[in-house]
Amino acid sequence: MPRLLIAAFALLLAGCAAAPEPAPVSSDTTTQPGRPLSDAQLQGQWWTWAASSTEKRNPVVDDSGQWCAEDQPKDVWFFAGTFGGPVNRRCQVPAGRPLAGPAVNTYTNCDTFFTTAKGSVTLDGQLVELRRIDPAPITFDAVRDNVLGAPTGKVDATACGLWAWIPPLSPGEHELRVQGEFGTFKTSARYVLTVSGSD
């Protein structure tokens, strides 16, 4: 990937082609019902997932959905944006698995992030309430030559973002749209998710 994009790699934004509509945002710091992960755990696991693959198999670089299942944890199914531009992904989601991901997030620019960050997540046409996670220390694992440009091994960082947590989906097909922007950087992702009838 061009080195000029490295700075953008810390921002994993997603959504549809239109400009993001203002989304409802909660700043409550308690754990949401059905969400056993703390804010730090959620962000740390997600950044580990994003940094666990090189460009060839990375689910954030993926433009079709072929790497949706790559390095997914057992307790949640993560979704992601892109490093710029729109994508359409078709993915299989295990039954009984909650979904989580950011409309927009970063681990390098939290001091100015919320001055321009905005985004939205919709599921089957319904707006999902976003959760504002203020700057917090996290630790994540990164493989060698990861697409984030992060150093290999354990990485200590400060992360923040606008996050969605979605309870397990009913069996069948669902459409997930995520959009976000930060400064002049915009990106979008549309997921067509197929949930099996059983685990």
Side-chain angles (χ1 to χ4, degrees):
M1 275 199 176
R3 288 293 178 188
L4 292 177
L5 293 179
I6 292 295
F9 289 173
L11 298 171
L12 301 182
L13 311 170
C16 58
E21 294 292 328
V25 176
S26 168
S27 59
D28 181 13
T29 57
T30 60
T31 300
Q32 292 174 317
R35 182 162 76 84
L37 300 175
S38 69
D39 290 346
Q41 290 170 330
L42 176 64
Q43 292 188 106
Q45 283 193 28
W46 190 90
W47 283 108
T48 292
W49 172 72
S52 290
S53 306
T54 59
E55 182 179 349
K56 291 182 179 179
R57 296 178 65 93
N58 190 276
V60 184
V61 176
D62 182 11
D63 62 1
S64 68
Q66 64 180 326
W67 307 123
C68 285
E70 195 77 2
D71 299 312
Q72 287 282 2
K74 300 294 184 185
D75 53 351
V76 64
W77 195 90
F78 285 135
F79 57 84
T82 70
F83 293 134
V87 295
N88 284 283
R89 297 171 178 149
R90 185 171 288 274
C91 308
Q92 299 284 328
V93 177
R97 190 84 60 88
L99 281 64
V104 56
N105 67 330
T106 186
Y107 72 90
T108 61
N109 299 297
C110 282
D111 54 339
T112 60
F113 177 75
F114 288 114
T115 61
T116 59
K118 58 183 176 179
S120 66
V121 174
T122 61
L123 176 67
D124 297 330
Q126 298 298 309
L127 201 61
V128 175
E129 182 175 5
L130 298 180
R131 177 183 181 81
R132 172 177 168 147
I133 298 182
D134 290 319
I138 66 164
T139 299
F140 66 90
D141 297 317
V143 298
R144 182 176 180 180
D145 299 325
N146 65 85
V147 296
L148 304 179
T152 304
K154 295 252 181 229
V155 179
D156 293 320
T158 297
C160 56
L162 299 174
W163 286 80
W165 179 271
I166 301 171
L169 302 177
S170 60
E173 191 170 278
H174 299 271
E175 182 186 58
L176 179 72
R177 287 182 179 266
V178 192
Q179 60 184 14
E181 61 183 65
F182 173 67
T184 60
F185 188 76
K186 299 179 182 180
T187 186
S188 63
R190 174 181 178 264
Y191 282 85
V192 176
L193 305 175
T194 302
V195 181
S196 59
S198 61
D199 290 326

